[in-house]
């Protein structure tokens, strides 16, 4: 027997962070740490994944995540291909099953999927032989974002154990919040959610979180605050009256950090609506980890592509 | 008295071993089994102790013809009804074109008669409003005359209470009850999954129970105020049941149905984005299932119906939010509801009420108690027969059931209508 028969990474797909054990989450972080060094070199490319092909299938626009994956793949010398599917309504266009069959026929090594429908990544994973990496499905999950957020904080603090992290904003419609609740609590953090009732999920009884509607209370002794991007259509759908009121009641401002723990860190998955969910000065302040998140995103995605694409090889 | 043409021998009739003798489409006699008795030239069906019941009535099915024959057509739907034990099915109007005029009604009836001359029989439920749009009344006098036995906007529930009131009053003019799909469409951001723990976790747009119960409450008050019958379709939650119980105590002429899947499954069935469990109203919680069962036992819920809603495989094999709502239910109904008897929740009399006597009474169909002179409409059901619903074992074109590949117990083994075996 050779070691080559033993999978070194036991997962075919990354649908959400709850598939990963605590050990595996740390392995992603450690791999990201070791790969991050490549991003500081003059020549930011290693041949690790040469000859491997990664399809970036984005059925919903997201320049940031897509660029981050594209860069991560290219730095490891994988060939990346973009496949766009515009979808303005639920039923328009090619069916996801046909898309899956088409993708299968191209035999890529991995597919990174962003889709408007919750469960779309799982749907593909059940039908494809290659790895499926969920880059955000509907309101459901965004595991790579959660991992990069966790990695950012891990780099900052060394551990998340016992830290209190507030996730602020539109929780109900946020895949980032769902995956982060899962990941951060598993890493030992206490997670709080805060937003107006219209933007909180109806039933979070099974979520290991504390829920607040009062931002001042929610910020008390927080070690980190993660702002979410506010979708402007929440006004039209009657969940908020206007941006000004939202900014005044739920926009994170320097005064909130006075109640928080010393050195409270501020995160935002981007792109930011400055002056709405976060005070502009705060976004640029020393407390802000927003740009660290972007760098961590490339490193984390490099780590994930490495682990998933070499999963059946010797370590 | 004429000689029997058909005999069912050694059947279990409410716990007693009986022989059912039939001639000229009617029941001659339901006699205690006598091993010595000879039946002359009659065809004899050996029941081997299977349960004998009157042929069932399904007050709520979607047969998809005209317009969506790839999902189901009248011929395949009635074939599934025969297998499921249903001799009469009431077909909803959300076809294409919509059954909102006598021509469509007559065409449906004609198709059914040609496909299944001996039955199962189709009883069209006409659209309450033209095109199910909720804007204009449909020509109910014409449609009643053509054969519509009730009216409903099922599939496209109406938000306007004022207009719904007019529709109920107009239908009552022709002695036709109205069946309401209770769902306030303005309170429903999503479809096919209960708003609760599962939908919050899976990140799905969901249907809150209050969207149903609020309209149930409205209908209960309206029925009481008008003194006119309103039948509430596929009730799924505890709050609705509580409203109905109160309304009945106040004397409101409301009646209600629930479906096998609401008695057997919960919202957890949609885990993994299982579109086969996507149904409208959605599967709810354990608490709701318990409330529905209690309501069946105490009479708050009057009848059972399948809400048979066949869809093609390719329509269900897609993203959860893009998939249509509905479960193919005709063939699994008996297997799923007989356990209510075996568990002691209801007795066989009540079971026969729920699936046959009460629906017949509510919608003006001939009563069948297998007394001499009654139509010879009956089924045999073997409670111990095992089977597994699968694309091969289901005759409906709709293979969309969350019980697919789940072993079930109990199956209809024979079905007689007007003295003729239709299965
Ligand atoms: Zn309905």
């Amino acid at each position: 027997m050779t070691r080559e028969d033993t999978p070194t990474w036991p997962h075919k797909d990354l649908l959400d962070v709850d598939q990963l054990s605590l050990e595996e989450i740390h392995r992603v972080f450690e791999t990201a740490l070791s790969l991050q060094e490549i991003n500081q070199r003059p020549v930011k490319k290693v041949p690790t994944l040469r000859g491997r092909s990664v399809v970036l299938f984005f059925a919903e626009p997201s320049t940031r995540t897509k660029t981050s994956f594209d860069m991560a793949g290219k730095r490891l010398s994988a060939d990346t291909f973009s496949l766009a599917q515009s979808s303005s309504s639920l039923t328009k266009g090619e069916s996801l099953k046909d898309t899956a069959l088409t993708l299968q026929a191209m035999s890529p090594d991995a597919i990174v999927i962003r889709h408007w429908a919750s469960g779309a990544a799982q749907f593909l994973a059940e039908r494809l032989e290659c790895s499926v990496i969920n880059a955000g499905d509907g309101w459901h999950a965004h595991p790579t974002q959660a991992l990069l957020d966790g990695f950012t904080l891990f780099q900052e603090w060394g551990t998340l154990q016992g830290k209190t992290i507030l996730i602020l904003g539109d929780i109900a419609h946020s895949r980032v919040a769902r995956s982060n609740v899962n990941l951060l609590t598993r890493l030992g953090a206490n997670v709080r959610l805060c937003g107006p009732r219209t933007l909180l999920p109806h039933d979070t009884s099974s979520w290991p979180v504390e829920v607040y509607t009062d931002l001042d209370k929610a910020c008390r002794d927080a070690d980190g605050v993660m702002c979410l991007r506010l979708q402007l259509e929440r006004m039209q759908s009657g969940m908020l009256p206007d941006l000004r009121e939202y900014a005044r009641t739920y926009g994170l401002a320097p005064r909130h950090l006075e109640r928080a723990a010393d050195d409270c860190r501020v995160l935002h998955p981007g792109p930011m609506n400055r002056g709405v969910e976060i005070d502009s000065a705060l976004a640029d302040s020393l407390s802000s980890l927003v740009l660290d998140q972007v760098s961590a995103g490339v490193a984390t995605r490099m780590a994930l592509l490495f682990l998933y694409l070499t999963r059946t090889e010797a370590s | 008295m004429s000689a029997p043409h058909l005999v069912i021998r050694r059947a279990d009739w409410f716990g007693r071993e009986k022989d059912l003798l039939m001639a000229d489409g009617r029941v001659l006699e339901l006699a205690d089994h006598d091993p010595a008795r000879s039946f002359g030239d009659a065809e004899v069906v050996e029941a081997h102790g299977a349960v004998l019941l009157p042929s069932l009535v399904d007050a709520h099915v979607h047969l998809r013809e005209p317009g969506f024959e790839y999902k189901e057509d009248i011929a395949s739907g009635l074939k599934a009804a025969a297998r499921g034990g249903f001799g009469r099915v009431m077909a909803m109007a959300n076809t294409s074109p919509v059954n909102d005029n006598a021509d469509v009604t007559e065409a449906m009836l004609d198709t059914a008669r040609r496909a299944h001359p001996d039955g199962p029989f189709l009883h069209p439920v006409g659209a309450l409003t033209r095109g199910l749009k909720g804007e204009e009344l449909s020509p109910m006098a014409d449609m009643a005359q053509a054969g519509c036995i009730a009216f409903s906007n099922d599939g496209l529930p109406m938000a306007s209470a004022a207009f719904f009131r007019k529709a109920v009053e107009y239908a009552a003019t022709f002695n036709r009850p109205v069946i309401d799909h209770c769902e306030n469409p303005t309170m429903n951001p999503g479809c096919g999954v209960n708003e609760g723990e599962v939908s919050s976790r899976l990140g799905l747009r969901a249907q809150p129970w209050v969207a149903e119960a609020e309209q149930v409450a409205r209908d209960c008050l309206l029925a009481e105020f008008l003194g006119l019958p309103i039948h509430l379709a596929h009730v799924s939650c505890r709050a609705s049941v509580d409203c109905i119980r109160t309304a009945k105590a106040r004397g409101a002429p409301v009646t209600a149905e629930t479906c096998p899947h609401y008695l057997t499954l919960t919202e957890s069935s949609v885990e993994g984005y299982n579109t086969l469990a996507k149904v409208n109203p959605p599967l709810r919680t354990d608490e709701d299932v318990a409330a529905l069962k209690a309501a069946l036992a105490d009479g708050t819920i009057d009848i059972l119906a399948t809400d048979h809603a066949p869809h093609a495989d390719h329509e269900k094999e897609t993203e959860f939010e893009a998939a249509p709502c509905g479960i193919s239910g005709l063939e699994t109904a008996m297997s799923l509801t007989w356990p209510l008897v075996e568990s002691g929740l209801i007795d066989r009399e009540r079971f026969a009420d729920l699936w046959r006597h009460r629906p017949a009474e509510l919608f003006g169909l001939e009563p069948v108690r297998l007394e001499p002179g009654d139509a010879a409409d009956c089924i045999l059901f073997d409670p111990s027969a095992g089977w597994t619903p699968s694309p091969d074992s289901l005759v409906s074109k709709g293979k969309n059931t969350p019980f697919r590949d789940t072993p079930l117990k109990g199956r209809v083994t024979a079905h007689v209508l007007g003295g003729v075996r239709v299965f």
Side-chain angles (χ1 to χ4, degrees):
Chain A
M1 283 298 289
T2 63
R3 288 166 65 197
E4 281 164 46
D5 296 319
T6 325
T8 60
W9 184 253
H11 306 285
K12 173 171 107 50
D13 310 298
L14 177 61
L15 304 180
D16 200 358
V17 286
D18 58 8
Q19 294 175 308
L20 305 181
S21 70
L22 206 52
E23 261 179 4
E24 287 162 354
I25 291 166
H26 281 292
R27 193 153 154 221
V28 173
F29 291 172
E30 280 147 26
T31 311
L33 265 180
S34 69
L35 291 171
Q36 203 168 32
E37 177 264 326
I38 297 167
N39 297 330
Q40 316 304 330
R41 294 182 194 174
V43 177
K44 299 175 181 59
K45 205 173 174 92
V46 292
T48 316
L49 296 180
R50 191 156 56 200
R52 306 303 178 88
S53 52
V54 177
V55 171
L56 307 174
F57 171 43
F58 277 61
E60 190 188 74
S62 165
T63 314
R64 289 185 163 231
T65 306
K66 193 171 166 185
T67 306
S68 180
F69 267 109
D70 198 13
M71 201 171 271
K74 290 199 163 95
R75 288 198 173 156
L76 296 173
S77 298
D79 297 313
T80 60
F81 302 88
S82 285
L83 189 77
Q85 188 202 47
S86 58
S87 173
S88 51
S89 78
L90 283 186
T91 47
K92 253 184 210 164
E94 189 180 50
S95 80
L96 192 55
K97 186 185 173 188
D98 284 331
T99 305
L101 295 172
T102 304
L103 288 167
Q104 183 67 59
M106 294 176 184
S107 35
D109 298 297
I111 286 165
V112 175
I113 177 183
R114 160 65 62 90
H115 203 278
W116 48 263
S118 297
Q122 180 175 339
F123 184 94
L124 281 195
E126 284 164 1
R127 286 162 181 80
L128 297 179
E129 284 158 29
C130 70
S131 289
V132 172
I133 293 177
N134 186 3
D137 62 328
W139 301 342
H140 171 236
H142 197 349
T144 66
Q145 178 73 42
L147 286 163
L148 81 85
D149 291 338
F151 179 56
T152 304
L153 292 171
F154 173 74
Q155 279 182 297
E156 191 69 17
W157 294 332
T159 177
L160 276 68
Q161 192 67 45
K163 299 287 186 182
T164 297
I165 300 164
L166 167 65
I167 305 179
L168 171 63
D170 183 359
I171 312 291
H173 309 98
S174 174
R175 51 190 169 224
V176 174
R178 281 178 175 76
S179 288
N180 263 306
V181 164
N182 198 312
L183 183 87
L184 300 175
T185 53
R186 299 250 311 278
L187 290 170
N190 309 309
V191 176
R192 297 175 180 171
L193 306 178
C194 181
R197 281 291 298 265
T198 47
L199 297 181
L200 292 172
H202 175 62
D203 187 347
T204 48
S205 55
S206 64
W207 299 22
V209 295
E210 287 171 57
V211 181
Y212 294 80
T213 51
D214 181 327
L215 181 54
D216 286 324
K217 287 187 185 145
C219 283
R220 196 165 295 157
D221 302 325
D223 297 292
V225 181
M226 186 180 287
C227 300
L228 299 174
R229 180 178 164 77
L230 183 74
Q231 303 294 320
L232 301 182
E233 64 261 27
R234 301 296 170 233
M235 258 61 69
Q236 285 105 58
S237 44
M239 295 171 192
L240 297 171
D242 58 46
L243 285 182
R244 181 177 157 274
E245 179 155 305
Y246 184 81
R248 282 167 54 99
T249 41
Y250 293 102
L252 191 72
R255 66 184 168 89
H256 294 114
L257 295 198
E258 289 164 19
R259 301 165 166 275
D262 294 344
D263 295 330
C264 175
R265 295 296 181 219
V266 176
L267 297 93
H268 192 299
M272 290 185 282
N273 294 308
R274 283 175 183 259
V276 180
E277 63 258 5
I278 187 165
D279 181 277
S280 188
L282 196 54
D284 298 330
S285 73
L286 290 173
S287 311
S288 169
L289 293 176
V290 174
L291 296 176
D292 304 70
Q293 287 173 277
V294 178
S295 325
V298 178
T300 308
R301 285 164 180 139
M302 286 168 79
L304 291 167
L305 288 176
F306 173 77
L307 291 167
Y308 280 86
L309 288 174
T310 60
R311 67 196 149 97
T312 53
E313 293 171 13
S315 49
Chain B
M1 194 186 265
S2 48
H5 293 149
L6 180 66
V7 173
I8 290 180
R9 201 164 162 273
R10 297 192 73 170
D12 173 353
W13 175 250
F14 296 93
R16 297 177 60 187
E17 201 171 54
K18 294 276 191 180
D19 297 333
L20 178 67
L21 284 62
M22 297 165 269
D24 306 321
R26 297 272 149 189
V27 172
L28 273 183
E29 190 188 350
L30 184 60
D32 286 336
H33 171 62
D34 173 2
R37 188 161 176 177
S38 119
F39 302 111
D41 296 336
E43 181 192 344
V44 176
V45 177
E46 290 291 344
H48 302 293
V51 172
L52 176 67
L53 286 166
S55 169
L56 313 179
V57 172
D58 190 345
H60 196 139
V61 303
H62 298 270
L63 294 187
R64 309 297 188 202
E65 185 176 357
F68 307 103
E69 289 83 355
Y70 68 96
K71 294 177 195 267
E72 185 88 288
D73 55 38
I74 287 173
S76 65
L78 291 178
K79 190 173 175 193
R83 295 281 286 246
F86 297 97
R88 292 170 189 280
V89 298
M90 293 167 52
M92 292 296 155
N94 60 342
T95 49
S96 179
V98 168
N99 180 20
D100 63 0
N101 64 76
D103 289 347
V104 177
T105 308
E106 279 160 12
M108 287 169 70
L109 285 168
D110 193 52
T111 304
R113 274 190 292 260
R114 275 187 286 111
H116 295 272
D118 299 312
F121 302 102
L122 170 64
H123 298 280
V125 176
L128 198 58
T129 60
R130 282 190 205 265
L132 297 173
K133 290 195 178 117
E135 291 160 3
E136 297 168 83
L137 296 177
S138 57
M140 294 186 228
D142 266 13
M143 296 171 74
Q145 196 173 19
C148 287
I149 66 167
F151 292 98
S152 178
N153 240 50
D154 188 60
L156 283 169
M158 289 158 70
S160 164
F163 191 61
F164 184 67
R165 169 196 173 165
K166 293 292 170 218
V168 172
E169 289 180 309
Y170 193 69
T173 311
F174 312 101
N175 298 316
R176 292 298 186 277
V178 164
I179 302 172
D180 196 20
H181 171 128
C182 293
E183 175 193 333
N184 181 335
T186 66
M187 288 195 87
N188 262 353
C191 174
V193 59
N194 183 47
E195 183 172 346
E197 194 274 316
V198 174
S199 70
S200 294
R201 186 157 39 81
L202 297 185
L204 292 171
R205 289 167 183 80
Q207 268 171 290
W209 57 254
V210 69
E212 173 181 314
E214 183 246 22
Q215 193 146 320
V216 164
R218 177 199 82 178
D219 285 4
C220 286
L221 294 171
L222 201 56
E224 180 181 343
F225 173 71
L226 297 173
L228 294 175
I230 300 178
H231 179 73
L232 309 174
H234 43 56
V235 166
S236 72
C237 63
R238 189 186 75 166
S240 297
V241 164
D242 291 345
C243 288
I244 296 163
R245 191 176 286 119
T246 306
K248 285 187 164 184
R250 289 166 61 98
V254 285
T255 53
E257 77 196 24
T258 191
C259 311
H261 40 273
Y262 300 120
L263 298 165
T264 44
L265 300 174
T266 64
E267 59 183 357
S268 67
S269 295
V270 307
E271 294 275 10
Y273 302 96
N274 180 10
T275 59
L276 292 175
K278 183 178 179 182
V279 63
N280 183 18
L283 301 169
R284 308 278 187 188
T285 65
D286 284 326
E287 196 182 42
D288 295 300
V289 171
L292 289 169
K293 284 185 174 174
L296 272 185
D298 75 11
T300 300
I301 287 182
D302 299 82
I303 68 170
L304 286 165
T306 64
D307 194 6
H308 176 71
H311 291 291
D313 275 351
H314 74 267
E315 295 172 309
K316 282 285 194 181
E317 196 180 354
T318 185
E319 306 91 311
F320 189 87
E321 294 194 357
C325 290
I327 290 172
S328 179
L330 279 167
E331 292 164 83
T332 52
M334 278 289 289
S335 313
L336 298 178
T337 52
W338 185 255
L340 300 171
V341 176
E342 294 195 330
S343 69
L345 181 82
I346 56 174
D347 61 18
R348 288 192 199 189
E349 281 286 359
R350 178 89 183 114
F351 185 85
D353 272 350
L354 287 164
W355 276 124
R356 167 73 221 190
H357 306 317
R358 275 295 274 158
E361 196 177 4
L362 293 181
F363 300 107
L365 298 168
E366 188 186 353
V368 171
R369 290 182 184 271
L370 302 187
E371 285 162 8
D374 278 359
D377 294 353
C378 66
I379 60 170
L380 283 175
F381 175 76
D382 178 355
S384 62
W387 71 293
T388 302
S390 70
D392 289 336
S393 65
L394 295 168
V395 299
S396 166
K397 286 189 192 177
K399 315 298 183 188
N400 51 307
T401 164
F403 298 98
R404 205 156 142 160
D405 305 320
T406 306
L408 297 180
K409 219 172 110 240
R411 207 170 189 195
V412 175
T413 54
H415 193 164
V416 174
L417 288 171
V420 177
R421 269 194 84 163
V422 295
F423 166 61

